[in-house]
Short mmCIF file of all heavy atoms in Angstrom, two decimals:
data_model
loop_
_atom_site.label_atom_id
_atom_site.label_comp_id
_atom_site.label_asym_id
_atom_site.label_seq_id
_atom_site.Cartn_x
_atom_site.Cartn_y
_atom_site.Cartn_z
N ILE A 327 -2.64 22.61 37.92
CA ILE A 327 -3.66 22.91 38.93
C ILE A 327 -3.45 24.42 39.34
O ILE A 327 -2.27 24.73 39.70
CB ILE A 327 -3.44 22.01 40.16
CG1 ILE A 327 -3.81 20.56 39.67
CG2 ILE A 327 -4.51 22.40 41.23
CD1 ILE A 327 -3.40 19.41 40.85
N THR A 328 -4.49 25.17 39.17
CA THR A 328 -4.32 26.51 39.63
C THR A 328 -5.20 27.02 40.68
O THR A 328 -6.29 26.47 40.88
CB THR A 328 -4.62 27.55 38.37
OG1 THR A 328 -5.94 27.18 37.90
CG2 THR A 328 -3.64 27.28 37.18
N LEU A 329 -4.69 27.96 41.57
CA LEU A 329 -5.45 28.41 42.81
C LEU A 329 -5.70 29.88 42.56
O LEU A 329 -4.81 30.62 42.68
CB LEU A 329 -4.63 28.09 44.04
CG LEU A 329 -4.14 26.61 44.21
CD1 LEU A 329 -3.18 26.55 45.29
CD2 LEU A 329 -5.34 25.67 44.30
N ASP A 354 -7.73 21.47 35.03
CA ASP A 354 -9.06 21.30 35.59
C ASP A 354 -10.01 22.22 35.20
O ASP A 354 -9.76 23.33 35.24
CB ASP A 354 -8.77 21.25 37.09
CG ASP A 354 -10.28 21.37 37.88
OD1 ASP A 354 -11.10 20.58 37.44
OD2 ASP A 354 -10.38 22.27 38.76
N GLU A 356 -13.41 21.91 36.06
CA GLU A 356 -14.48 21.66 36.86
C GLU A 356 -14.60 22.49 38.08
O GLU A 356 -15.35 22.31 38.92
CB GLU A 356 -14.67 20.19 37.05
CG GLU A 356 -14.80 19.28 35.89
CD GLU A 356 -14.74 17.85 36.26
OE1 GLU A 356 -13.67 17.43 36.35
OE2 GLU A 356 -15.83 17.24 36.46
N GLY A 357 -13.64 23.43 38.26
CA GLY A 357 -13.54 24.20 39.35
C GLY A 357 -13.19 23.51 40.75
O GLY A 357 -13.83 23.75 41.78
N LYS A 358 -12.37 22.48 40.67
CA LYS A 358 -12.17 21.66 41.81
C LYS A 358 -11.18 22.32 42.78
O LYS A 358 -10.43 23.16 42.42
CB LYS A 358 -11.57 20.31 41.29
CG LYS A 358 -12.55 19.41 40.71
CD LYS A 358 -12.05 18.12 40.58
CE LYS A 358 -13.11 17.23 39.88
NZ LYS A 358 -12.73 16.05 39.35
N SER A 359 -11.26 21.83 44.06
CA SER A 359 -10.26 22.27 45.01
C SER A 359 -8.91 21.73 44.74
O SER A 359 -8.81 20.63 43.95
CB SER A 359 -10.78 21.70 46.42
OG SER A 359 -10.75 20.32 46.38
N LEU A 360 -7.86 22.07 45.48
CA LEU A 360 -6.60 21.51 45.19
C LEU A 360 -6.69 19.95 45.46
O LEU A 360 -6.05 19.23 44.64
CB LEU A 360 -5.56 22.21 46.33
CG LEU A 360 -4.13 21.50 46.24
CD1 LEU A 360 -3.52 21.75 44.95
CD2 LEU A 360 -3.34 22.26 47.40
N LYS A 361 -7.26 19.56 46.52
CA LYS A 361 -7.42 18.09 46.80
C LYS A 361 -8.11 17.27 45.73
O LYS A 361 -7.56 16.30 45.07
CB LYS A 361 -8.06 17.88 48.15
CG LYS A 361 -7.80 16.66 48.82
CD LYS A 361 -8.32 16.73 50.13
CE LYS A 361 -8.74 15.15 50.63
NZ LYS A 361 -9.66 15.16 51.73
N GLY A 362 -9.19 17.90 45.24
CA GLY A 362 -10.00 17.32 44.10
C GLY A 362 -9.17 17.19 42.84
O GLY A 362 -9.13 16.28 42.08
N ALA A 363 -8.53 18.33 42.51
CA ALA A 363 -7.75 18.43 41.31
C ALA A 363 -6.58 17.34 41.36
O ALA A 363 -6.21 16.84 40.32
CB ALA A 363 -7.19 19.84 41.06
N MET A 364 -6.03 17.21 42.55
CA MET A 364 -4.84 16.31 42.63
C MET A 364 -5.40 14.85 42.38
O MET A 364 -4.74 14.07 41.88
CB MET A 364 -4.24 16.34 44.08
CG MET A 364 -3.28 17.65 44.32
SD MET A 364 -2.03 17.58 43.18
CE MET A 364 -0.84 16.49 43.86
N ARG A 365 -6.54 14.69 42.91
CA ARG A 365 -7.22 13.36 42.75
C ARG A 365 -7.46 13.13 41.23
O ARG A 365 -7.22 11.96 40.74
CB ARG A 365 -8.62 13.31 43.55
CG ARG A 365 -8.85 11.75 43.87
CD ARG A 365 -10.10 11.63 44.74
NE ARG A 365 -10.00 12.37 46.08
CZ ARG A 365 -10.98 13.24 46.40
NH1 ARG A 365 -11.91 13.55 45.67
NH2 ARG A 365 -10.75 13.84 47.51
N THR A 366 -7.94 14.15 40.47
CA THR A 366 -8.06 14.03 39.00
C THR A 366 -6.81 13.71 38.36
O THR A 366 -6.69 12.79 37.55
CB THR A 366 -8.61 15.24 38.47
OG1 THR A 366 -9.82 15.65 39.18
CG2 THR A 366 -9.00 15.09 36.92
#
Side-chain angles (χ1 to χ4, degrees):
I327 301 170
T328 55
L329 308 168
D354 165 48
E356 296 171 277
K358 288 190 173 161
S359 64
L360 174 61
K361 202 168 153 205
M364 284 303 280
R365 205 175 302 126
T366 305

